[in-house]
Amino acid sequence: MSGLTPTTPRPTEIKLHQQSRKLELAWDNYMHFVLPCEFLRVYSPSAEVRGHGPGQEVLQVGKEDVTIVGIEPVGHYAIKLAFSDGHDTGLYSWDYLFDLCMRHEHLWQEYLDRLAAAGIQRKQ
């Protein structure tokens, strides 16, 4: 995405809840979201997950127990998340992260549908 503009919401608080494996985000437009670590991992903006172009996405499987082990600010425009499975190459720009927040339910269902189409069942 990286379409940051003066009107792009910016986080005012980012709080990791280790036990529940969720990232809580408060935004300067007064919106508030809680995203599961698994969701953030399977929608990592990294080339490893998204590929280098349309149709090159790699379906992420077996990420049910993944957690975030590090959060590093990147300038004034993004964070870098390090996950317990060793993945740490995605930069979550504010616009991408906010988009994930706004479309969480839709994107999660899309992910579940892709798993089902591949014949893969999530544990839980």
Side-chain angles (χ1 to χ4, degrees):
M1 296 204 90
S2 65
L4 294 176
T5 69
T7 59
T8 300
R10 274 129 172 114
T12 56
E13 184 175 15
I14 299 172
K15 187 185 300 184
L16 177 62
H17 299 278
Q18 285 283 4
Q19 192 165 350
S20 64
R21 296 189 308 269
K22 294 187 178 180
L23 189 68
E24 183 177 358
L25 300 145
W27 297 85
D28 63 4
N29 62 359
Y30 305 104
M31 296 185 90
H32 180 268
F33 300 91
V34 178
L35 299 177
C37 294
E38 178 186 7
F39 173 75
L40 290 162
R41 174 60 179 85
V42 301
Y43 279 101
S44 170
S46 71
E48 176 187 327
V49 173
R50 295 178 60 130
H52 293 286
Q56 295 184 356
E57 300 84 4
V58 177
L59 181 60
Q60 302 296 300
V61 298
K63 304 302 178 188
E64 295 90 338
D65 296 324
V66 76
T67 189
I68 294 169
V69 295
I71 302 172
E72 180 182 328
V74 178
H76 294 286
Y77 66 93
I79 54 174
K80 179 180 175 182
L81 299 178
F83 293 90
S84 58
D85 66 352
H87 180 75
D88 67 355
T89 58
L91 293 183
Y92 294 76
S93 62
W94 300 150
D95 61 328
Y96 183 70
L97 196 55
F98 189 72
D99 185 60
L100 289 178
C101 289
M102 293 298 294
R103 298 189 320 132
H104 172 239
E105 287 182 36
H106 170 76
L107 291 171
W108 184 247
Q109 188 58 55
E110 187 176 280
Y111 172 67
L112 295 177
D113 292 345
R114 288 189 350 246
L115 285 176
I120 300 167
Q121 287 192 336
R122 287 178 70 251
K123 75 175 184 182
Q124 295 257 52

